Amino acid sequence: MKLTEAIERGLTVWTASVATAIEAVADRLLRRPQVLVRHDRTESVVLTIQAQPKAKAKVKPMPAPARVNPAAGAAQAGLSPDWLRTLRGAALEIHLAAESVLVRPLDFPKQAEPFLDGMIRTQIGRLTPWNLDQVLYGCSAPRAVGDRIALTLAATPRALVQPLLALADQVGAARLVITADVGSADGGQIQIFKTSLRSSLAGGRDLGRVLKLGWLSVAATTAVLLIATTLIGGYLDGELEDAQAQVTRLRAALRPAMGATAADGLLAKRKQTSPASVIVLDTLSKILPDGTYVVEMHVENDRLQISGLTQDAPALIRLIEQSPQFSRATFYAPTTRTAGEAGERFHIEARINAYFGDRA
């Protein structure tokens, strides 16, 4: 189930990226109008045209700014016909007022920069009063401060902007971007949400979903062809396996001594090339520094996974790589720091080299 979800998530992200690129080209060619929506009050927003197609601008002037209440049952009824025509297929940029946004300054070790997104997602319930499915959030670009990085988290409840999303859908907007005003320290604006509502290239539907359904159809057709090929060739494969088994039995009966020697050699080779868990543990105890505690260790074939607490998680990668017994050391999960713990919680995976000799 997890593999299926991962494949579906990856396909969704990929098709969304392709759809975004196609929509960007379409925006330049179609020159969609851009509308600024300022959420300066809880009960109303102000709509202002930032830019409109040059062809339309020559025909008639831009509509005057309009104020509507998105929480009303039919908010679009308060807009003039000119505004309704302008909003259909437009790109909306919604600016949330500072009082509607929760701002949190964050500070992390510089080594944690590749894992910032995952770390923030797992701690969003502690950083904000809302759960992950109840909040929209975004972060500023990280700033280096010595050996640490600083950034700003901007979050707002999803229920606050839900009327704005409904209004954008009702008026037929094509794209929607929501930004939060956080002051001048991080450039003034942080993007917390972006989506494509519909596409003129896909008949008013979500272009990413259309691409995803197309690729799933191709995958389903390919799977049917593979199953048919497997069923047709199943009988021949079974006959081939029976013939190979008979040849193996005949060789074993004709040359028992050679077979025994080969089996002994195979066992000896496996003993020499398969590292024992006690040797792995002994080697780790020699290379890991004081103050590092291994909580879990898993050894499977030539793969080692360890997790625990340490003061400097990236330094462990270097120490493990320097040992001739291990190679390809990397983090397989984000390094986190939890309140009440003395260090960073790490998760490291490495390949166990076959030879464990006197080089340790």
Side-chain angles (χ1 to χ4, degrees):
M1 185 64 180
K2 292 183 177 180
L3 178 61
T4 304
E5 292 177 353
I7 294 175
E8 181 180 2
R9 188 180 302 111
L11 181 60
T12 300
V13 172
W14 184 81
T15 53
S17 301
V18 174
T20 301
I22 295 175
E23 288 292 340
V25 175
D27 286 344
R28 288 195 295 269
L29 296 177
L30 299 176
R31 296 179 180 178
R32 289 173 174 161
Q34 298 178 1
V35 178
L36 174 64
V37 182
R38 287 200 170 274
H39 186 267
D40 55 353
R41 299 180 186 175
T42 305
E43 70 282 356
S44 64
V45 294
V46 177
L47 282 68
T48 306
I49 295 181
Q50 287 184 302
Q52 66 174 347
K54 295 181 179 178
K56 292 185 178 180
K58 295 178 181 178
V59 176
K60 58 172 59 179
M62 296 184 298
R67 181 180 292 274
V68 295
N69 182 3
Q76 72 275 18
L79 295 171
S80 65
D82 288 343
W83 263 113
L84 292 177
R85 284 192 295 270
T86 301
L87 290 174
R88 182 163 298 278
L92 303 187
E93 182 176 345
I94 299 177
H95 289 188
L96 298 180
E99 57 268 18
S100 301
V101 182
L102 176 67
V103 179
R104 288 280 188 271
L106 302 180
D107 178 73
F108 294 99
K110 183 174 293 186
Q111 297 84 354
E113 185 171 359
F115 314 107
L116 284 179
D117 184 64
M119 295 171 64
I120 294 175
R121 285 179 61 87
T122 56
Q123 301 183 52
I124 197 69
R126 183 175 64 84
L127 299 173
T128 70
W130 311 288
N131 296 328
L132 186 60
D133 57 348
Q134 299 173 338
V135 67
L136 297 178
Y137 70 94
C139 295
S140 64
R143 305 185 306 275
V145 183
D147 60 345
R148 303 185 70 82
I149 54 176
L151 65 156
T152 302
L153 171 71
T156 191
R158 188 181 294 268
L160 178 68
V161 301
Q162 195 62 41
L164 299 173
L165 300 178
L167 175 61
D169 185 63
Q170 290 169 4
V171 298
R175 290 190 296 109
L176 177 68
V177 176
I178 301 179
T179 60
D181 293 325
V182 296
S184 59
D186 293 286
Q189 300 287 335
I190 294 179
Q191 180 177 298
I192 63 175
F193 185 73
K194 181 179 182 180
T195 186
S196 177
L197 299 176
R198 54 183 50 80
S199 169
S200 59
L201 303 177
R205 293 169 292 178
D206 185 356
L207 183 58
R209 179 179 291 274
V210 173
L211 292 175
K212 179 180 176 181
L213 292 177
W215 280 109
L216 288 177
S217 300
V218 173
T221 304
T222 305
V224 171
L225 292 176
L226 289 175
I227 293 174
T229 304
T230 302
L231 293 177
I232 294 173
Y235 175 77
L236 295 177
D237 291 340
E239 291 294 325
L240 179 60
E241 291 178 359
D242 291 341
Q244 290 176 344
Q246 291 179 4
V247 171
T248 302
R249 288 194 295 269
L250 289 175
R251 287 179 177 176
L254 292 175
R255 295 184 294 176
M258 183 178 296
T261 303
D264 292 340
L266 181 62
L267 291 174
K269 182 179 179 181
R270 182 176 180 183
K271 179 178 180 181
Q272 294 172 359
T273 59
S274 299
S277 298
V278 64
I279 300 178
V280 174
L281 182 60
D282 180 68
T283 304
L284 287 175
S285 66
K286 293 178 180 178
I287 65 177
L288 294 181
D290 295 335
T292 297
Y293 304 93
V294 176
V295 180
E296 294 185 8
M297 184 184 79
H298 299 282
V299 176
E300 183 176 359
N301 296 331
D302 63 342
R303 189 63 58 186
L304 167 68
Q305 288 186 342
I306 58 174
S307 61
L309 295 173
T310 186
Q311 297 298 323
D312 189 2
L316 300 184
I317 297 292
R318 183 177 64 256
L319 293 175
I320 293 175
E321 285 283 353
Q322 291 175 352
S323 173
Q325 285 76 24
F326 304 104
S327 61
R328 301 179 186 177
T330 183
F331 292 104
Y332 68 89
T335 300
T336 59
R337 181 183 294 271
T338 305
E341 291 184 344
E344 299 174 337
R345 184 171 294 274
F346 65 90
H347 305 270
I348 297 178
E349 180 181 73
R351 179 180 178 183
I352 306 173
N353 295 330
Y355 179 77
F356 279 73
D358 296 331
R359 292 179 295 170

